[in-house]
Structures are given as C-alpha cells and as structure tokens.
Amino acid sequence: MLNEMQIYDLGSRVWKTKGEEQATAKKEFIEALKLLEKELGDKPYFGGESLGYVDVAFIPFYSWFYALEKCGNFSIEAECPKLIAWAKRCMQKESVAKSLPDQQKVYDFILEMKKHFGI
C-alpha cells in the first residue's frame, strides 16, 4: 500500500512540472490512485463499513484533487470513479467536511506557489 508521502510527492509533481515531465507525473499519480481504488474495491470505506485509519489518512488529499485536475488538465473521477464516490461519502460526515480546506482555496494556494516558483 502507498503511504501519504508517496501520494503527496506524486501529486506535487503534477502541479510543479510541465510538458513531458507533467505527463509522466499525471500517469504515475493516476496509477497510484487506481491502486488505492483497487484496495477499496466495493467497500464503502477502506476499513469496510465504517471510516477507518486509511480513510482518515487519505481523505485530506481529496482537497487537492480539484487543483491537480486543473493544473494537469485531467479528470480523477473519469479515471477512478469509485475513489471519488468514496471521497464524497467521507465528505458527508460532518467531522470530515468541517476539517478539510475548501478545494478552491487549495487551488488558489497552488496558483500562488506556481507564481512564486516561476512555474
């Protein structure tokens, strides 16, 4: 199973790169998400019927999905529909929804970072 740093590193390469390097980063990021989606299977949560450790560890990355899609010009939902359904299920829990940053704010932050780094 992937760990949080691997997902973060793969995702950050999507917004920090351009051209062929970004295409490779997108491919590797989607492959990682597909691996997670396979692990999820048809269960509502990674732990089964209720939110568990893997869900809690991974759901913060959902806040970054919109920004990565915009920066990389791709759709995570098209590639990993079960994973997005899982994320939406998690977001229905008030404790999760209140603890995660707004996706548009994350995107705005990334745009500022890109500007700062000259990307």
Side-chain angles (χ1 to χ4, degrees):
M1 176 80 84
L2 298 163
N3 68 42
E4 295 95 7
M5 286 308 297
Q6 289 170 308
I7 294 291
Y8 175 81
D9 290 342
L10 290 169
S12 67
R13 285 181 37 225
V14 171
W15 70 265
K16 288 180 178 177
T17 59
K18 295 179 181 177
E20 189 66 35
E21 192 175 354
Q22 186 183 56
T24 300
K26 285 190 308 190
K27 181 178 181 276
E28 291 174 1
F29 182 69
I30 290 296
E31 286 173 1
L33 294 182
K34 285 183 178 186
L35 180 61
L36 286 167
E37 187 175 63
K38 182 179 176 188
E39 227 12 77
L40 177 63
D42 291 325
K43 301 177 300 231
Y45 301 99
F46 283 96
E49 294 300 315
S50 60
L51 210 59
Y53 175 76
V54 175
D55 303 292
V56 171
F58 184 54
I59 193 60
F61 292 100
Y62 178 63
S63 298
W64 290 75
F65 282 9
Y66 173 76
L68 296 175
E69 288 174 326
K70 294 289 279 180
C71 291
N73 193 29
F74 68 108
S75 169
I76 294 170
E77 188 166 19
E79 298 285 342
C80 302
K82 287 183 180 181
L83 197 60
I84 296 301
W86 161 84
K88 290 178 180 177
R89 225 177 352 269
C90 290
M91 292 298 288
Q92 290 174 349
K93 297 194 175 288
E94 186 178 353
S95 58
V96 174
K98 285 186 170 185
S99 66
L100 297 182
D102 177 73
Q103 290 186 333
Q104 183 62 50
K105 289 182 180 179
V106 172
Y107 179 56
D108 293 343
F109 169 74
I110 286 180
L111 290 180
E112 286 298 316
M113 294 300 291
K114 287 173 70 90
K115 190 183 305 180
H116 175 76
F117 289 117
I119 300 171

